[in-house]
Amino acid sequence: MSTDFSLFGGAESLPPVPAAATEQQLKPTSSRYRTVVHSKTLPEPKRARLDPTDFLWLMSEEPHRSRRAAILKSHPEVTKLMGHEPLTKYIVLFVVTLQVVAAYLLRNTSPKSFWFVLVAYVVGGTANHNLFLAIHEITHNLAFKGIDPNKYLSMFANLPIGIPYAQTFKRYHIEHHKQLGEDGVDTDLPTRLELAILQSVAGKAFFCTFQILFYALRPGLVRSQAFTRWHAQNIFLQLAFDYAIVKFVGGRALAYFIMSSFFAGSLHPCAGHFIAEHYLWDGLEQETYSYYGPLNILTYNVGYHNEHHDFPSVPWTRLPALRAIAPEYYDTLSSHLSWPMVIFHFIFDDAAGLHARAKRLAKGSLASFANRLPSDLKAGASSASLHGSETSVYSRGVSGTETDNLSSEEESDRSVDELDYGPTYSSPTLKPVPPHFCSAWMTNGRLRIAMVGDFFHPVVGGVENHIYMLGAYLLKRGHKVIVITHSHPPDRVGIRHLIPGLKVYHIPLTTIASSATLPNFFTFLPYLRTILLRERIQLVHGHASLSSMAHEAILHAHHLGVRTVFTDHSLFGFDDAATILTNKLLLGVLKNVDAVICVSYTGRENTALRAELLQERWKSLNVIPSAIVTERFKPATPSSSSSAPRIVTIVVISRLAYRKGVDLLVAIAPRVCREFPNVRFVVGGDGPKLIELLQMREKHLLQDRITLLGSVRHTDVRDVLVQGSIYLNTSLTEAFGIGILEAACTGLYIVSTMVGGVPEALPREMISFAKPDEDGACGLSFSPFYPTFRLPKP
C-alpha cells in the first residue's frame, strides 16, 4: 500500500497534472510575487528568504536532466523538433547588414550627439543583442548541419559587435549547459568578490549597467581556455573587419558598433534576460526561469529558457512547439512577465541580488569549497587537501569535436551520485576544525544542529516522526536545524526542504535492509565534513542504534571538535548476530559522546549494559520520555444514542514487523473474535507482516470483523483512534511506546504486552498488562501483579 508523503512537505504525492491544460489554466494567475505560474494544478510551493551573504549551495543534480528524461518518456515526439533551422542565417545576414548601413549613415555624426546615442541605443543595442543571441543559437550548431559552417557563421555574426568573442563564448556556454551551477566551471555564476562589493542598491545598479563587462571579463578570470586555431581565426577576422571599417568608413562607425554592444548588455529591455534566466526569485529554489513575452521576437526565443536547457538541440523557432507539447511540465513552473521589470526588481528588491544564484561543488573540488570559507576556517579545511593536480579545463568539458553539440542529451549533465570529493586524503588523520568552531557562529544562545540517522522520511515510523517533530520545534525556537540521511532514489536525492523549513541532505548511500545503511566510514566522511563546514554545525545529534550514519557521524564529529548527542530509541538483546554487531558499534561510539538520551529508565539501563558504561559514566545518560501534543489527540464527543448494541472496537496502529508483535496479533485476533462476537479490530500500519494479517483474515473469514487500513498518515492517527474502545499493543520489545500515549490521550483503554519501558508510560489504572504470548495477550492469563481486564460479554 502506498504512503502519502504530502504530510512531510515532499513532492511525491502531488495531484495528477492533465495532459493538456485548458485556455483558462494557461492564463497567468495574479501574484504578489515577481514571477507567475501559468497553471495552478500544483500546490503553492514553499518559499524562503535566501541568505544575502552567501549563495544557495545545493547537492542535488541540476533539474533539466530529470525533466528531459520525463518529457522524452511522456512525449517521444519531441525528438522530431530537434535539428537545424535554416532561417537563422538569413536573419543574421539581415541584422549584420542593418548595422553596417547604420554605421555608414552615422559616419559624420558626433558620438556625443543625442541622435547618435539614441540610434546606438534603440537600433544598435537591439540589433547587437539580437546578434549576441544569434551566436548563442549557433553555438549549439543549429544554423547548419555541419559544425564548421556554424563556427564561421558565428564569427560573421560577431563582426558588428566589434570585439571577438564568439569562439570563446562557445566553449564556456557548452560547459554552462553540461555543468549548470558548478562553482568554478559555470562562468555564468557571479563570484564571491562580486557578491561582497555589489550587494547594495548602488552596487546592483552598477552591475546591471556594466554587466556586459562582467560577462566579458569574468570567464577569463575564473576558468581560462586553451587557445585554438578557432580563437585565432575569430580574432583575425574581427580585427580585419574593424580595420576596414575605420579605414573606409571612419572611426565613428566603429564607435557606433562598440556603443551598440555596450547598450545591448546594459540597461536595455532585452538585457533583462541575463538576470531573468538563472537568478532565484520569490524564495524559490527554481534554477531556471522562462519568459513568454513579446521581446522573444527580437531575441531568438531565448525567453523559453527552461525549454532551451531541457532540449538544447531544439532550435529557437520550435521552442514554443516544445512548450505546447508538454504544458504539464512548463506551465507549472514560475516564469517572468517582463524583462525590464526584472532589472528594476533586481536593483531595488532586497530579496534579489547577486546572492540569489544556486551553486554546486564541482567534481573533485573540496579544496575549492575550503576557499569559500572565512579565513579563520581555511586551516581546518586545508587538512582535506586532495592528491593530484587540478583537472584540465577540457577533461570534463567539450573536446572541440562534434561532442560540443548537445544533441546527445545523456551527456549534458551528471547526477548527485557522481559527486566526488577526492579519492584519498593527504593525511591518515583529519585535523580538527579550529577550536572556536562550535562557538564562532553562535548568536543569542541559538545552536546550529545536524540530526543524523538512517531513518527519516519518506519512510514513516516513530523514529522518523520524532526527528521531524523535534527539528520542527527546534526551528520554532530559533535554532538552525538540518537533517542528514541517505537518499531514496529517484525522488529523494540531494537537498530537500520540508515544512516548516527543515533542510534535509540525502547522501547517496545504499541501504541493506529496513532503510539501514551498511557501515562505510570513509565514504560518508567527506560528505559529512563538507556539510558540517558549509552549515557551520555546532552540535551533531545521532538517532537510533541501528543507524550506521548516526554512529559514524558521532565518531567523525568528535574528531572534528564538534559536540555530540546520541538518542537511543529502542531496546536490544545480547545474543543474536544483529544485536552483537549493533552493540559493538554502540560501545565504540558512546566512549566519546557528550550526552546520551534514552526514552525510558528501562532503556537507560539497556543502553548502559550494551555499551559497557562504567558507573561514573552513567551521569551522561539522560532519560527524556517521549511526549505528544495533546491538542492533536482529543477524545471523540460521546454519542447520545444508547439503544444501539454495544460494539467493542480494538485499535492497533503499528509498523507491521516482527518486533511489533504482529505474529502475536495474528494468533490472538481469531480467538478474540470467536469468543466475543461484538468485537471488531481496526488495524493501521504497513510492513512486511501485512501479508500474514491478510492471510489470517481470509482463512478465518473475518473480513467484516478486521479492517486493515494500510499506512496511516500521522495527521489521521487521531481519527482512527477515536473509532475504538481499546488500544492493543503487542510489541515484543518497546523502549517507551509513543502510540500508547496517543491512544490514552484519545480516551482509549490500553492493553499491552509487559515489555521494556511500557510500564513507565501510564498510571496503572489506565493500562492492563499481559505476557507476550498468545494466552496472555487474549486476556486469559494476565500477570498476577496487575489487575485483570476482560472484554464484556455481549
Side-chain angles (χ1 to χ4, degrees):
M1 297 184 181
S2 62
T3 302
D4 186 353
F5 300 110
S6 60
L7 170 66
F8 312 119
E12 288 82 351
S13 58
L14 300 177
V17 180
T22 64
E23 290 297 325
Q24 181 66 25
Q25 287 175 318
L26 291 179
K27 294 180 181 178
T29 56
S30 60
S31 172
R32 66 184 185 277
Y33 299 108
R34 308 307 187 195
T35 59
V36 298
V37 179
H38 287 258
S39 175
K40 277 295 185 181
T41 54
L42 298 182
E44 174 69 14
K46 175 188 171 295
R47 303 174 188 266
R49 188 175 180 86
L50 300 176
D51 182 359
T53 64
D54 198 2
F55 305 103
L56 177 64
W57 292 93
L58 302 178
M59 291 181 65
S60 58
E61 66 173 352
E62 58 93 2
H64 301 287
R65 177 182 181 177
S66 57
R67 187 160 60 235
R68 179 188 308 123
I71 292 175
L72 286 173
K73 183 177 180 180
S74 303
H75 304 284
E77 65 273 17
V78 165
T79 56
K80 298 179 182 179
L81 300 177
M82 299 177 184
H84 73 289
E85 174 51 67
L87 180 62
T88 303
K89 56 182 176 288
Y90 299 113
I91 297 179
V92 170
L93 177 61
F94 170 77
V95 176
V96 170
T97 304
L98 173 66
Q99 281 294 81
V100 173
V101 170
Y104 178 80
L105 295 176
L106 292 172
R107 68 189 183 280
N108 296 321
T109 306
S110 171
K112 297 180 181 179
S113 69
F114 171 78
W115 290 107
F116 190 99
V117 174
L118 180 64
V119 173
Y121 183 87
V122 176
V123 178
T126 304
N128 274 14
H129 201 97
N130 178 273
L131 292 175
F132 287 164
L133 296 170
I135 294 172
H136 165 264
E137 186 75 8
I138 299 165
T139 287
H140 295 286
N141 300 327
L142 296 177
F144 295 100
K145 291 184 178 180
I147 293 177
D148 288 357
N150 282 284
K151 290 185 176 181
Y152 285 119
L153 180 62
S154 68
M155 288 186 278
F156 176 73
N158 197 158
L159 295 179
I161 294 172
I163 299 173
Y165 89 100
Q167 295 308 307
T168 304
F169 171 79
K170 180 179 179 69
R171 294 182 179 274
Y172 284 129
H173 188 67
I174 294 300
E175 290 181 335
H176 167 69
H177 273 268
K178 288 189 173 184
Q179 292 156 284
L180 178 66
E182 290 194 16
D183 190 35
V185 180
D186 183 0
T187 56
D188 185 64
L189 297 166
T191 63
R192 182 164 290 278
L193 178 62
E194 294 172 62
L195 174 64
I197 64 178
L198 299 175
Q199 190 62 4
S200 64
V201 172
K204 291 187 288 184
F206 179 86
F207 175 81
C208 291
T209 304
F210 298 97
Q211 60 180 316
I212 188 67
L213 300 181
F214 287 93
Y215 281 101
L217 300 176
R218 183 197 300 142
L221 299 175
V222 173
R223 186 173 174 84
S224 60
Q225 289 186 9
F227 192 79
T228 68
R229 66 181 182 92
W230 291 105
H231 294 85
Q233 291 182 39
N234 191 188
I235 294 172
F236 174 79
L237 183 61
Q238 187 65 54
L239 292 179
F241 177 79
D242 292 347
Y243 175 79
I245 287 292
V246 172
K247 183 173 179 62
F248 297 108
V249 183
R252 292 176 177 179
L254 182 60
Y256 169 76
F257 289 148
I258 300 298
M259 189 178 295
S260 297
S261 297
F262 172 77
F263 285 142
S266 184
L267 298 176
H268 191 280
C270 293
H273 83 84
F274 288 126
I275 298 172
E277 290 168 354
H278 295 294
Y279 280 85
L280 306 177
W281 295 87
D282 299 336
L284 301 174
E285 289 189 11
Q286 181 178 319
E287 295 182 54
T288 307
Y289 291 81
S290 291
Y291 159 79
Y292 303 116
L295 290 179
N296 279 309
I297 299 173
L298 303 173
T299 56
Y300 289 90
N301 282 331
V302 74
Y304 289 78
H305 215 66
N306 271 300
E307 293 83 348
H308 169 67
H309 267 267
D310 288 349
F311 295 95
S313 292
V314 174
W316 63 279
T317 54
R318 301 168 204 164
L319 291 175
L322 172 60
R323 181 193 177 201
I325 288 175
E328 68 272 25
Y329 292 95
Y330 295 117
D331 292 331
T332 54
L333 297 175
S334 292
S335 60
H336 291 287
L337 288 175
S338 168
W339 279 341
M341 291 307 297
V342 165
I343 299 177
F344 177 83
H345 292 311
F346 181 82
I347 295 174
F348 295 103
D349 193 337
D350 292 339
L354 289 122
H355 69 284
R357 286 298 297 262
K359 285 192 176 186
R360 297 174 177 81
L361 291 177
K363 188 172 183 179
S365 63
L366 182 59
S368 70
F369 170 74
N371 293 331
R372 301 198 315 271
L373 297 175
S375 58
D376 56 351
L377 290 182
K378 288 183 179 178
S382 64
S383 63
S385 59
L386 304 177
H387 285 301
S389 59
E390 188 68 26
T391 307
S392 169
V393 66
Y394 294 118
S395 63
R396 297 193 310 273
V398 296
S399 60
T401 65
E402 294 195 5
T403 58
D404 54 11
N405 179 12
L406 288 184
S407 60
S408 177
E409 308 295 345
E410 297 80 15
E411 297 181 0
S412 62
D413 49 21
R414 66 171 185 271
S415 69
V416 68
D417 294 329
E418 295 172 309
L419 280 174
D420 178 19
Y421 296 100
T424 56
Y425 291 94
S426 57
S427 171
T429 304
L430 277 175
K431 297 178 183 179
V433 295
H436 58 281
F437 183 83
C438 293
S439 60
W441 295 290
M442 189 171 181
T443 58
N444 300 325
R446 295 175 180 175
L447 294 172
R448 304 179 73 92
I449 305 167
M451 292 195 284
V452 187
D454 288 338
F455 310 105
F456 193 66
H457 304 311
V459 178
V460 178
V463 176
E464 293 84 351
N465 196 59
H466 172 85
I467 296 175
Y468 174 77
M469 296 299 295
L470 177 60
Y473 276 91
L474 287 172
L475 286 171
K476 187 176 180 180
R477 299 192 64 168
H479 300 285
K480 167 70 176 180
V481 183
I482 66 169
V483 175
I484 304 174
T485 186
H486 60 79
S487 60
H488 294 267
D491 299 319
R492 297 276 180 155
V493 295
I495 296 176
R496 299 291 294 268
H497 287 82
L498 307 184
I499 297 172
L502 186 63
K503 188 176 185 180
V504 184
Y505 284 85
H506 293 278
I507 308 301
L509 300 177
T510 304
T511 59
I512 51 175
S514 300
S515 195
T517 59
L518 189 69
N520 42 52
F521 294 91
F522 298 104
T523 302
F524 183 40
L525 173 57
Y527 289 102
L528 177 69
R529 189 175 187 279
T530 301
I531 296 170
L532 295 184
L533 290 172
R534 172 187 295 173
E535 300 289 348
R536 306 171 183 178
I537 296 301
Q538 301 160 293
L539 179 67
V540 170
H541 188 178
H543 291 265
S545 293
L546 287 178
S547 172
S548 298
M549 293 182 68
H551 294 315
E552 294 171 33
I554 290 174
L555 286 174
H556 296 324
H558 169 73
H559 291 292
L560 292 171
V562 182
R563 305 296 294 272
T564 56
V565 175
F566 176 73
T567 297
D568 200 352
H569 294 267
S570 304
L571 305 179
F572 291 92
F574 302 88
D575 54 354
D576 61 273
T579 55
I580 290 173
L581 175 61
T582 301
N583 295 343
K584 289 296 182 183
L585 287 172
L586 192 69
L587 174 64
V589 169
L590 297 194
K591 292 297 183 184
N592 298 305
V593 74
D594 292 291
V596 180
I597 298 174
C598 301
V599 296
S600 65
Y601 287 95
T602 302
R604 181 173 184 257
E605 295 176 3
N606 181 262
T607 300
L609 292 173
R610 289 161 50 220
E612 301 178 12
L613 296 180
L614 300 177
Q615 188 69 32
E616 56 268 22
R617 283 279 293 161
W618 279 44
K619 62 182 180 181
S620 65
L621 298 178
N622 304 276
V623 177
I624 304 179
S626 299
I628 62 173
V629 182
T630 55
E631 290 79 6
R632 298 184 181 182
F633 295 95
K634 294 181 178 180
T637 304
S639 175
S640 58
S641 175
S642 58
S643 58
R646 183 180 181 189
I647 300 296
V648 177
T649 301
I650 300 176
V651 177
V652 179
I653 299 181
S654 169
R655 179 183 289 130
L656 302 183
Y658 171 77
R659 288 169 56 86
K660 296 299 182 179
V662 178
D663 292 322
L664 195 57
L665 178 62
V666 170
I668 66 171
R671 291 183 57 178
V672 172
C673 290
R674 183 169 57 251
E675 183 168 348
F676 302 97
N678 61 328
V679 168
R680 57 186 291 264
F681 283 84
V682 175
V683 181
D686 201 352
K689 291 290 184 177
L690 175 61
I691 187 66
E692 297 184 24
L693 281 171
L694 290 168
Q695 291 173 346
M696 175 271 293
R697 189 175 67 169
E698 296 295 325
K699 177 180 178 181
H700 296 279
L701 303 178
L702 296 174
Q703 291 87 345
D704 60 333
R705 305 278 300 278
I706 301 177
T707 302
L708 300 179
L709 302 177
S711 182
V712 179
R713 298 198 315 172
H714 193 260
T715 51
D716 298 332
V717 168
R718 184 261 177 193
D719 296 333
V720 176
L721 290 174
V722 296
Q723 301 177 28
S725 308
I726 299 171
Y727 180 82
L728 178 62
N729 173 47
T730 59
S731 292
L732 302 181
T733 174
E734 194 76 72
F736 183 76
I738 191 67
I740 293 175
L741 280 187
E742 295 173 347
C745 188
T746 315
L748 277 65
Y749 190 85
I750 311 300
V751 175
S752 174
T753 49
M754 187 179 175
V755 293
V758 173
E760 303 174 30
L762 292 172
R764 297 290 175 84
E765 61 270 16
M766 299 179 67
I767 186 170
S768 288
F769 293 101
K771 295 179 181 178
D773 55 44
E774 182 178 343
D775 289 335
C778 283
L780 302 177
S781 59
F782 285 96
S783 168
F785 299 102
Y786 298 98
T788 300
F789 174 81
R790 291 184 177 275
L791 293 170
K793 291 290 184 178

